[in-house]
């Protein structure tokens, strides 16, 4: 081989070597497709105050989740940046959802608590915005619902309550979270299981758990429906009585012993209320990955595990693409349930 030939061979090899990273990069992009999480870029996060929106009034499940998250992020040493919670009330969280989407585009430091209530609220409120316009980060918890009555109520069991409900559906005043949310869905499913037209149920929606508790304690409301953690202290103090919980097995709703399930009372209803966290639209793949990484770190921290135990929440963790797939499936499922019980058009 001549000297010139060897020189051309070396030049060709060097050219191929210089092209190889580009070729591999293109292959990775082709394999990743449109996956917003497939990004080799890394960003520093967080670099400023994290603001977590609780899209409901203080005292409810979203507010409790936001403030528990705030505390665990700091106690667990997940971030040294400040973490603040803002409350935005209205329309099953869709007022806050609209604010997140329209005002905080591409800001990874703006996060919002969401959940099953908001999925239903989007449908029943005919919201102009929906969760597909956000950047899903993670689902966090799942929790049974509980049906409670004031201590002076004549109802000692769920069967007692349902007997009167069947005899005169409009005489029972049910109350809980926003219209179309988990609480009203549970009332509708119970009505259907008991042979009552769900449209006859007299359901009063409140923007936060604090308002529901006040209405129960004042006697303005006959039956309350919410997540177990919201009423637990009032059940523990004896001011409310838990009739049944909505999960697959009985849980302590505050009385010190497991409350019976709705199924054990004879009605084929089971429903768990889940909560999660989303970011605004417009995040780059690297930004989304950074937020997911922070929440992954939170999830594995002792501070978060302690919070789950303290609140009685089930660990229901899905992050990144798995969270997005779950949210898409829930939109379809809950729209079907709401249509079935007459809370949404077909």
């Amino acid at each position: 081989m001549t000297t010139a030939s060897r020189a051309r061979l070396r030049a060709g090899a060097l050219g191929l070597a210089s092209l190889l990273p580009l070729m591999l990069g293109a292959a990775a992009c082709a394999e990743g497709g449109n996956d917003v999480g497939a990004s080799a870029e890394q960003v520093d996060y967080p670099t400023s105050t994290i603001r977590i929106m609780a899209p409901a009034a203080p005292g409810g499940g979203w507010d409790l989740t936001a403030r528990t998250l705030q505390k665990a992020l700091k106690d667990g040493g997940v971030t040294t940046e400040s973490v603040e919670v803002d409350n935005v009330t209205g329309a099953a969280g869709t007022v806050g959802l609209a604010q997140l989407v329209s005002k905080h585009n591409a800001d990874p430091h703006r996060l919002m608590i969401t959940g099953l209530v908001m999925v239903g609220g989007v449908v029943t409120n005919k919201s102009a915005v929906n969760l597909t316009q956000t950047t899903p980060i993670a689902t966090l918890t799942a929790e049974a619902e509980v049906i409670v009555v004031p201590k002076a109520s004549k109802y000692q069991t769920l069967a007692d309550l349902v007997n009167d409900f069947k005899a005169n559906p409009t005489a029972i005043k049910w109350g809980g979270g926003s219209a179309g949310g988990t609480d009203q869905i549970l009332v509708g499913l119970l009505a259907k299981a008991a042979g009552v037209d769900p449209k006859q149920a007299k359901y009063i929606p409140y923007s936060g758990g604090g308002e529901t508790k006040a209405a129960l304690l004042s006697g303005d409301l006959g039956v309350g429906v919410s997540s177990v953690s919201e009423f637990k202290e009032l059940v523990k103090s004896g001011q409310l009585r838990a009739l049944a919980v909505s999960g697959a097995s009985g849980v302590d709703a505050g009385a010190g012993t497991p409350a019976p399930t709705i199924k054990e009372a004879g009605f084929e209803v089971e429903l768990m209320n889940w909560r999660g966290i989303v970011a605004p639209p417009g995040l780059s793949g690297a930004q989304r990955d950074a937020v997911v990484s922070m929440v992954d770190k939170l999830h594995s921290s002792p501070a978060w595990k302690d919070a789950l135990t303290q609140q009685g929440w089930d660990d229901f963790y899905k992050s990144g693409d798995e969270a997005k797939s779950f949210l898409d499936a829930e939109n379809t499922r809950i729209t079907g349930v709401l249509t079935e019980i007459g809370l949404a058009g077909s």
Side-chain angles (χ1 to χ4, degrees), residues 11 61 101 124 189 217 230 252 267 339 343:
V101 169
T124 55
L189 291 173
L217 296 178
E230 289 197 39
D252 181 8
F267 307 100
T339 300
L343 295 177

Side-chain angles (χ1 to χ4, degrees), residues 68 72 75 299 301-313:
T68 302
D75 290 353
H299 175 251
S301 70
W304 182 250
K305 295 181 189 303
D306 289 345
L308 291 176
T309 300
Q310 182 179 350
Q311 299 297 343
W313 292 337

Side-chain angles (χ1 to χ4, degrees), residues 52-69:
I52 303 173
M53 182 197 301
W62 283 339
D63 181 66
L64 179 61
T65 304
R67 295 183 191 280
T68 302
L69 193 68

